[in-house]
Every structure is written in C-alpha cells, then in structure tokens.
C-alpha cells in the first residue's frame, strides 16, 4: 500500500479483553491498517459501526448480546459498504454457511497464522470474499458429501393425481376417467388443472411425456 492510499480502517469486536488486545497489537504492526475502535459485544459493535463507519469490522463469532453472525447480518444490511470478517474457533460447515448467508466478506479461524489475517484483510479490501484454506476445504467437503448423497426429491404428485395422470396419458376422456374412478367430471377437471399447475405443463401431450419420463406409463402403453 503506497503513501497515497488511505489505511484500512478497522473496528475490532470481541468480548474478551486479552483477545482484543492481542489482535489489536497484531493489526497495528501491519502496514496500511488503522484500528479506529473496539467493541466488547455485538450490540456495542453495531453502535460503533454506525458511529465510526469503518472499512472493515473484524468480529468474534461468539459474543454476548448479539453473536458475530447476528452482528454481521445487521451491519451488512444497514451499512453495506462496511465489510465484515468473522473470527471463529469453528470450522464446521453450518457455521460457515450461516456466516455467508449473513453477508460476511471473510471467515477466519482464530488459530490461523498471523499472515493469514493480513491476506484476509487485503482480499476483502479488494472486494473479494476470503475463506481460509481450512474453511475452504470444509465447504468443499460438505458440497461433495451432498453431491454423493443427494436428498431424495419430494414426490410432486399425490397418489390420486398420479392415478388420474395415468388415465389421461392412456388417452381416456374426462368422462371416461370420471366413470372409471367413480368421480364427478368436475372433480376430474379440477385434478387435471392441478396437475398442469403443479408440473408447469399446459397440454395433454406434455402430461403424456411426463408420465413416460417418470415411468408412470411406458411408450408402448
């Protein structure tokens, strides 16, 4: 960072005095970084963000009042120009996902090397999202696990709708279906409309194709 570039203005939020002091000391040894304030909990952090308008809020994930994720969500909503980096002891995917949904620009483990904090600050200052190597690995592993074991898709049709669809696909008229299933013509028409609405299909030909594709009937039926 050259002499004409203003320093990154950092607000530090952590509810442990010694931790805050240690991180502040580390930050103050970094070129191009200025610590403009400290907050001792999430509520204090939100208030000071509004007062000081930092470039980056560095926030502990586990705090009283508002935790780091709740704080991040409020800050990113009210002051979108302020970037939030979460410091955490947790590398599990759920914490990471919650933080990203809250709009954080970075997620860093507290036991990371000091140099990694500098990398995170620089990346976030460039408008990038920073996840440390361990965090990135956790996200990838979670994605691969879901890919290998996908959740079963819910059945889009009720048993009665599938039954009526089979009759429609077999070429039966509304009256024929009503007679076969001991239903009124109006009820069959209602089921047909619901089928088309639920499947996003607008004609009988499309219903037939769907029935064949899902194995409800075969192309030779």
């Amino acid at each position: 960072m050259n002499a004409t570039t203003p320093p990154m203005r950092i607000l530090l939020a952590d509810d442990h005095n010694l931790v805050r002091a240690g991180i502040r000391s580390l930050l103050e040894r970094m070129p191009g970084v200025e610590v403009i304030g400290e907050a001792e909990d999430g509520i204090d952090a939100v208030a000071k963000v509004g007062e000081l308008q930092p470039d980056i809020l560095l926030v502990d994930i586990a705090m009283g009042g508002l935790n780091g994720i709740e704080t991040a969500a409020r800050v990113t909503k009210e002051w979108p120009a302020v970037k939030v980096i979460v410091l955490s002891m947790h590398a599990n995917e759920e914490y990471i996902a919650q933080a990203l949904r809250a709009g954080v620009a970075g997620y860093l483990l507290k036991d990371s090397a000091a140099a990694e904090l500098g990398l995170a600050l620089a990346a976030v200052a460039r408008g990038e999202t920073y996840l440390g190597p361990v965090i990135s690995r956790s996200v990838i592993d979670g994605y691969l696990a879901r890919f290998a074991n996908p959740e079963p898709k819910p059945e889009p049709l009720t048993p009665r709708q599938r039954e009526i669809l089979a009759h429609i696909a077999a070429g039966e008229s509304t009256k024929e279906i009503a007679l076969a299933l001991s239903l009124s013509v109006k009820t069959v028409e209602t089921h047909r409309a619901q089928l088309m609405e639920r499947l996003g299909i607008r004609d009988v030909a499309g219903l037939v194709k769907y029935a064949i594709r899902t194995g409800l009937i075969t192309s030779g039926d």
Side-chain angles (χ1 to χ4, degrees):
M1 190 172 291
N2 59 49
T4 62
T5 303
M8 285 184 284
R9 301 168 66 253
I10 310 293
L11 175 65
L12 175 61
D14 194 296
D15 57 358
H16 294 92
N17 292 335
L18 288 176
V19 173
R20 272 203 324 274
I23 296 174
R24 178 166 193 149
S25 176
L26 178 62
L27 289 169
E28 289 176 338
R29 293 198 298 271
M30 294 181 180
V33 172
E34 178 187 3
V35 180
I36 62 170
E38 297 181 16
E40 61 185 16
D41 58 36
I43 294 172
D44 189 26
V46 171
K48 286 184 175 172
V49 166
E51 174 190 348
L52 301 173
Q53 295 292 301
D55 298 311
I56 295 174
L57 169 64
L58 200 60
V59 60
D60 179 26
I61 202 170
M63 296 188 299
L66 294 172
N67 65 36
I69 292 173
E70 292 166 335
T71 301
R74 187 170 299 186
V75 168
T76 55
K77 180 179 179 181
E78 296 187 26
W79 300 281
V82 178
K83 306 302 181 185
V84 181
I85 298 176
V86 165
L87 294 174
S88 175
M89 294 298 296
H90 306 285
N92 70 66
E93 188 189 0
E94 181 55 34
Y95 275 104
I96 301 163
Q98 287 180 21
L100 292 174
R101 284 194 294 268
V104 305
Y107 193 107
L108 200 61
L109 293 179
K110 281 190 169 182
D111 61 0
S112 300
E116 194 172 333
L117 177 56
L119 293 174
L121 292 173
V124 169
R126 292 193 301 268
E128 301 170 6
T129 298
Y130 185 88
L131 301 177
V134 174
I135 301 303
S136 297
R137 184 72 255 169
S138 177
V139 171
I140 292 168
D141 287 346
Y143 171 79
L144 291 175
R146 287 195 302 275
F147 184 78
N149 301 287
E151 294 182 3
K153 293 182 179 179
E155 169 57 58
L157 304 179
T158 66
R160 174 62 86 183
Q161 288 170 338
R162 287 176 61 82
E163 188 176 29
I164 288 176
L165 175 57
H167 283 275
I168 292 172
E172 295 180 19
S173 68
T174 301
K175 289 183 179 179
E176 287 172 333
I177 297 170
L179 182 62
L181 300 179
S182 300
L183 298 172
S184 70
V185 169
K186 185 175 181 180
T187 298
V188 174
E189 288 175 343
T190 298
H191 280 300
R192 182 199 293 259
Q194 290 173 343
L195 274 169
M196 291 181 170
E197 177 71 25
R198 181 169 291 195
L199 298 175
I201 296 172
R202 298 304 173 200
D203 54 38
V204 172
L207 291 177
V208 173
K209 289 178 183 177
Y210 176 86
I212 293 171
R213 189 171 67 249
T214 58
L216 192 60
I217 64 170
T218 67
S219 57
D221 286 350

